[in-house]
Amino acid sequence: METVIAYLVGVFFIIAAGWILAITVGWNLPYDVLEQALFWLKIHPWEDVVLSACLLVLGILPFLRPRSQRHEQTFLTSSQLGEVRMTEAAMQDIIRRSAQILPGVQNVQPNLRQREDGLEVLVYVQLKPEFIIPDTAEKLQGKVKEDVEHYTGIKVAEVKVLVRSLEAARQSRVR
């Protein structure tokens, strides 16, 4: 229902924009139609009441309906006793812990996407500048894949690493 209302509001704004644009470029038909509609409203008070009541109800309706809760993405694994679901936050915690154990890895921000062939993990990292980036990234990929599969039982299809920045060397002040 909310999406239908959102589409209707969008269509209304598109029509209003087109209407204003048509009047702006000098086309008199939209202006004449608007003038006739306002004149009709002036001479039909009971229809005005019904129309305004309907518009008021439609305007209030989205505020009365409870907003649906955003469903947190979960990842499914199974055990002998049934299914186990893990939230995205839990999976991200596992990935952060796995990555931060490695030397040279500083800040870790994982992003997950479920694919048919398994989980796709995108890891945004900040590395220390003295570490070789390709070697550290390869170790990171292997460690994340190994730990996620070991701790969750969920197959990891791919681990992508994006090095966002290198830790800036801190210079000590000498006075």
Side-chain angles (χ1 to χ4, degrees):
M1 179 71 176
E2 291 178 22
T3 55
V4 172
I5 292 173
Y7 283 123
L8 290 175
V9 168
V11 167
F12 171 77
F13 282 122
I14 290 170
I15 291 171
W19 199 281
I20 292 169
L21 185 63
I23 291 172
T24 304
V25 296
W27 193 27
N28 286 334
L29 180 65
Y31 180 77
D32 293 339
V33 170
L34 181 62
E35 187 178 38
Q36 289 173 2
L38 291 174
F39 180 74
W40 183 87
L41 288 173
K42 183 178 180 182
I43 62 173
H44 295 94
W46 287 107
E47 289 86 349
D48 296 349
V49 171
V50 172
L51 181 64
S52 62
C54 291
L55 290 175
L56 184 63
V57 168
L58 286 175
I60 292 175
L61 227 142
F63 296 106
L64 296 179
R65 294 183 47 84
R67 298 195 191 278
S68 62
Q69 296 295 325
R70 180 181 172 261
H71 296 307
E72 188 173 8
Q73 184 177 7
T74 59
F75 300 93
L76 176 67
T77 185
S78 59
S79 71
Q80 294 175 348
L81 300 175
E83 72 177 31
V84 177
R85 291 194 171 271
M86 297 188 61
T87 65
E88 187 171 4
M91 298 285 289
Q92 289 174 341
D93 285 342
I94 292 169
I95 294 166
R96 274 190 205 95
R97 288 181 185 158
S98 297
Q100 290 176 338
I101 290 173
L102 295 173
V105 177
Q106 292 293 78
N107 295 327
V108 179
Q109 295 174 337
N111 196 351
L112 306 169
R113 189 172 70 124
Q114 189 70 47
R115 298 188 335 196
E116 285 184 25
D117 58 340
L119 190 65
E120 178 183 299
V121 181
L122 175 59
V123 184
Y124 300 97
V125 296
Q126 178 183 12
L127 299 178
K128 292 182 179 178
E130 63 268 12
F131 286 85
I132 299 170
I133 293 172
D135 293 344
T136 306
E138 188 175 335
K139 289 176 188 173
L140 176 64
Q141 288 170 315
K143 181 72 171 150
V144 166
K145 180 178 172 58
E146 176 186 327
D147 284 355
V148 169
E149 289 179 348
H150 174 74
Y151 290 117
T152 67
I154 297 173
K155 182 182 182 302
V156 176
E158 185 176 20
V159 178
K160 298 177 181 179
V161 175
L162 175 63
V163 179
R164 282 202 165 152
S165 64
L166 300 178
E167 179 187 42
R170 295 188 179 132
Q171 296 178 351
S172 59
R173 293 179 137 176
V174 179
R175 290 186 181 200

